[in-house]
Amino acid sequence: MADRDTGADLSRKDASAATIAAQRRAAAGLPEDDGADFALARKGFLGTIEDAEIPGAWSMKPYAFLEGERPDTVHPSLWRQARLNAIHGLFELGSGVFQVRGFDISNITFIEGRTGFIVIDPLTSAEPAAAALKLMREHRGDKPVTGVIYTHSHVDHYGGIAGVASADDLAAGLRILAPDGFLKAAVSENVLAGNVMSRRATYMYGALLPQDGKGHIDSGLGKAVSRGRVSLVPPTESISRTGQRASVDGIEIVFQVTPETEAPAEMNFFFPDLGALCMAENCTCNLHNLYTPRGAQVRDAKAWSRYIDEALGMFGGGAEILFASHHWPRWGQDEGRRFLTAQRDLYKFIHDQTLRMANHGLTAKEIAERLALPPTLEREWHTRSYYGTLNHNAKAVYQRYLGWFDANPANLHPHPPEAAGARYVEAMGGPEAVMRAGQAAFDRGDYRWVAELVGHLVFSDPTHRGARALQADAFEQLGYQSESGPWRDFYLTGAMELRAPRPPSAVPRQAAAGQLRTLPADDLLDSLSVRLNGERACEVQLAFTLVFSDTGESFAVSVENAVLHHAPGAKGSEVVLTRKTLIDLVLGEAVADSAAPSGPGVEDLSRLLSLLDRFDLWFEISAP
């Protein structure tokens, strides 16, 4: 095995001369910073907890380094955004409207009702949400939570509900409002694809990186994702149409449904008596994702822009406070309209110009290299690529309309990475030749080419330490140069795992288990269908009735043609158990003999369980 050096270099490197030069060019092209965003982010501050430290779930303490000078290993624009997102605590936005920022990647907002607090978006996990509610009560009185609103179906906006609503609250019928289709979208994104998306999210949000100038500094959208207890409690009321009204704890709300924008199920809403407009995650202080690199359905840029325009018409004349599920608010009708107008045009520009170039025959990659914002949008800080990027958003628009294929027959049926890697390495004259070419590209600062070229050798021979080290070094410099927080974290996590491969899991760690436990029975069974191993089930036929003793529901369950079906009703012999028991069995936290399912269908259930995969979160990404 030919190595670039005598062994793997696990140390993180400094910024190269090429990276330092790139940072200087980036700094010279940034808009003028008049400090207005910092003033907005601090406006209305009431108090916080020291370092926003919530044991086991969240802390701002590791980010104290942001008070120092920017190192050459961080893009100057991302450094600015990271410092803004480090401002934390409880803020008063206006009469009756309060927000806690910096306790998670997202914001939690409180509306004072007649008797208690209406909670908007209870964060990702229970512990930060509980800490935010405690802080609110310290400043505004020990009042109950009288309603919860989920703005949309992403986990950082509902997963912490256990921190603001007790089991007794839920049993007593606490009102939980969400856009129509919320549960279906949440299950699809966070459960059906939960394991693969969670693993990719460890890259996107830098969950494994140290927090310092050579590691994770910010996600662009917020500091990072909290790590507490996540749950999914279904809404009690769905908002299905624009203009629909509701009164929660004496507070009037006018809703605007915005499906297929930042989330499949999302809504904006206006509090007319408070002059406060919530734009959910449709308008934030950065360019958002039309495609999120952790993986999700591509979003509709045209609809996104149209709904912002609709919000301008519906609410722009009465909104004195404009707030969102991330970042800091805007105040005043004129400033609100200006902000919404730029955000509206940002997404439509990307949509229209991508399709214009596509109609000229350019491919997604070619369009992504050419697309640039007009100066009127480029000089706004809130349109910059801190989270989404022009590059991958252009590819998203292309994908939505034209799919993954660029129509070149050479790309219709290419070899997968390992097979292609072996062929590329052979064609180039072997590993030594690939390494020489890769090193020469690295020395001239062409890190994108290094990553692509040497990646073929890594996938051809993942034990080649020199190839792993050289690709890691290239990833690292690309990360340092990234204005996007997710791009930085992807590159730096890839570098880390190339240098220090993770050992195989002794016991698979399965993602989304917490949400699996709170799913309605029908959705729970639906989630099992993607665990059925088609190769092992190809000759199996099963049919039995699953009876949940805790809910009284019955489902006919069958396997045929390597497909798992279920439907309400009965078919075949019965097996009786609780939902919890079934989940324990699926996750491997119990075995059928000891979990005590009963009935003549137990043997069929055991056979089905033997055909279900248990997913491992820690699959490889940067190597085969």
Side-chain angles (χ1 to χ4, degrees):
M1 179 177 69
D3 287 346
R4 185 165 67 102
D5 49 32
T6 57
D9 183 357
L10 303 183
S11 63
R12 297 182 296 164
K13 310 299 193 305
D14 293 331
S16 66
T19 291
I20 293 171
Q23 311 292 42
R24 289 173 180 163
R25 291 192 299 272
L30 292 177
E32 180 182 355
D33 189 359
D34 59 4
D37 280 340
F38 285 92
L40 290 174
R42 295 187 176 105
K43 183 174 179 178
F45 177 73
L46 296 178
T48 190
I49 57 178
E50 187 174 359
D51 297 319
E53 191 157 24
I54 302 151
W58 181 261
S59 178
M60 278 286 188
K61 190 174 183 178
Y63 299 100
F65 68 91
L66 290 168
E67 296 301 317
E69 291 295 317
R70 178 188 65 83
D72 291 325
T73 53
V74 182
H75 190 287
S77 183
L78 182 59
W79 181 261
R80 175 186 182 274
Q81 185 79 344
R83 294 184 64 236
L84 282 162
N85 283 333
I87 298 170
H88 58 81
L90 174 65
F91 301 83
E92 184 172 7
L93 280 55
S95 178
V97 186
F98 300 81
Q99 194 169 64
V100 173
R101 301 195 291 273
F103 282 22
D104 204 326
I105 193 173
S106 49
N107 300 335
I108 182 170
T109 305
F110 299 93
I111 305 297
E112 286 186 322
R114 289 182 180 174
T115 62
F117 302 133
I118 304 165
V119 176
I120 302 172
D121 287 353
L123 305 179
T124 310
S125 59
E127 293 84 351
L133 178 59
K134 180 181 178 183
L135 183 61
M136 178 69 178
R137 285 171 169 163
E138 288 174 358
H139 286 266
R140 303 299 299 178
D142 189 12
K143 301 175 186 177
V145 170
T146 51
V148 175
I149 301 175
Y150 301 146
T151 60
H152 62 290
S153 52
H154 292 153
V155 68
D156 52 323
H157 304 275
Y158 67 77
I161 188 169
V164 298
S166 67
D168 289 341
D169 292 333
L170 298 173
L174 178 70
R175 294 179 70 183
I176 305 175
L177 287 70
D180 190 44
F182 168 87
L183 190 60
K184 179 181 178 181
V187 170
S188 173
E189 188 161 303
N190 297 294
V191 178
L192 295 184
N195 196 74
V196 60
M197 194 175 294
S198 295
R199 171 60 167 140
R200 290 169 58 139
T202 65
Y203 268 59
M204 180 167 171
Y205 297 109
L208 308 176
L209 296 173
Q211 294 94 15
D212 59 26
K214 290 182 178 179
H216 174 79
I217 67 161
D218 200 74
S219 294
L221 197 62
K223 191 54 60 193
V225 180
S226 67
R227 302 185 182 187
R229 293 179 293 114
V230 179
S231 59
L232 172 56
V233 176
T236 62
E237 301 173 40
S238 291
I239 304 301
S240 59
R241 60 180 177 82
T242 293
Q244 186 172 338
R245 290 174 174 262
S247 178
V248 181
D249 194 14
I251 302 297
E252 294 296 316
I253 313 172
V254 183
F255 294 93
Q256 178 201 16
V257 294
T258 64
E260 304 303 325
T261 51
E262 190 273 336
E266 190 149 357
M267 62 185 183
N268 304 324
F269 41 92
F270 181 59
F271 299 91
D273 295 334
L274 306 176
L277 172 60
C278 174
M279 287 301 294
E281 204 166 321
N282 289 318
C283 290
T284 52
C285 298
N286 55 209
L287 170 60
H288 214 296
N289 287 310
L290 296 176
Y291 164 78
T292 178
R294 64 177 164 81
Q297 296 178 27
V298 167
R299 297 155 186 178
D300 188 340
K302 184 179 180 182
W304 197 327
S305 176
R306 177 168 55 84
Y307 284 124
I308 298 174
D309 190 55
E310 184 178 64
L312 264 167
M314 289 181 67
F315 310 125
E320 295 293 343
I321 307 163
L322 189 157
F323 67 94
S325 301
H326 297 269
H327 299 136
W328 46 96
R330 257 68 182 171
W331 284 270
Q333 293 182 28
D334 290 344
E335 178 58 25
R337 283 195 295 265
R338 196 180 77 83
F339 177 76
L340 291 175
T341 298
Q343 288 278 307
R344 175 198 67 187
D345 294 345
L346 175 64
Y347 296 106
K348 195 164 192 299
F349 176 86
I350 297 171
H351 173 274
D352 293 353
Q353 295 307 306
T354 296
L355 289 182
R356 178 183 68 83
M357 287 188 268
N359 278 300
H360 281 295
L362 275 69
T363 66
K365 291 180 181 179
E366 292 167 334
I367 295 167
E369 292 298 308
R370 294 193 187 190
L371 189 65
L373 290 180
T376 51
L377 292 176
E378 179 69 24
R379 61 174 169 251
E380 297 284 354
W381 286 105
H382 66 84
T383 63
R384 298 198 68 83
S385 296
Y386 298 126
Y387 195 54
T389 70
L390 273 178
N391 189 286
H392 77 246
N393 279 346
K395 295 170 183 173
V397 173
Y398 189 99
Q399 178 184 328
R400 184 173 181 90
Y401 282 88
L402 298 167
W404 58 266
F405 180 45
D406 63 4
N408 183 339
N411 298 322
L412 188 60
H413 190 204
H415 288 290
E418 292 176 68
R423 288 164 170 79
Y424 273 105
V425 171
E426 181 183 12
M428 289 191 65
E432 293 80 5
V434 175
M435 289 298 296
R436 286 194 298 271
Q439 186 62 59
F442 187 92
D443 291 342
R444 63 177 182 267
D446 191 356
Y447 304 126
R448 289 170 66 185
W449 178 236
V450 178
E452 181 177 347
L453 177 65
V454 180
H456 289 305
L457 180 50
V458 171
F459 271 79
S460 172
D461 178 10
T463 68
H464 194 296
R465 290 181 296 170
R468 296 179 72 104
L470 182 54
Q471 190 181 40
D473 288 352
F475 281 172
E476 189 169 58
Q477 298 302 319
L478 289 168
Y480 292 165
Q481 294 181 27
S482 295
E483 183 177 30
S484 164
W487 278 36
R488 175 185 176 92
D489 287 341
F490 261 97
Y491 282 130
L492 297 184
T493 304
M496 180 188 70
E497 293 196 349
L498 284 167
R499 288 168 176 160
R502 177 180 293 276
S505 301
V507 177
R509 177 188 169 188
Q510 301 177 84
Q515 296 180 70
L516 198 67
R517 295 190 181 283
T518 56
L519 287 181
D522 184 62
D523 293 302
L524 169 61
L525 292 173
D526 197 39
S527 75
L528 300 189
S529 64
V530 301
R531 292 175 176 264
L532 185 72
N533 187 304
E535 296 173 356
R536 296 205 306 269
C538 60
E539 299 292 339
V540 174
Q541 285 192 323
L542 291 173
F544 61 95
T545 299
L546 196 61
V547 179
F548 290 112
S549 58
D550 51 340
T551 66
E553 296 169 285
S554 297
F555 292 89
V557 178
S558 63
V559 174
E560 188 175 11
N561 297 319
V563 176
L564 173 62
H565 293 281
H566 75 277
K571 183 180 180 181
S573 55
E574 284 191 356
V575 55
V576 181
L577 74 175
T578 65
R579 286 175 63 261
K580 179 183 183 304
T581 296
L582 180 60
I583 295 166
D584 289 344
L585 290 168
V586 169
L587 296 178
E589 297 177 7
V591 295
D593 290 342
S594 62
S598 62
V602 169
E603 185 176 335
D604 286 336
L605 173 63
S606 296
R607 193 173 184 199
L608 173 60
L609 292 170
S610 72
L611 299 174
L612 301 182
D613 283 349
R614 288 178 185 153
F615 302 132
D616 187 357
L617 177 68
W618 300 117
F619 59 81
E620 290 280 5
I621 291 180
S622 296

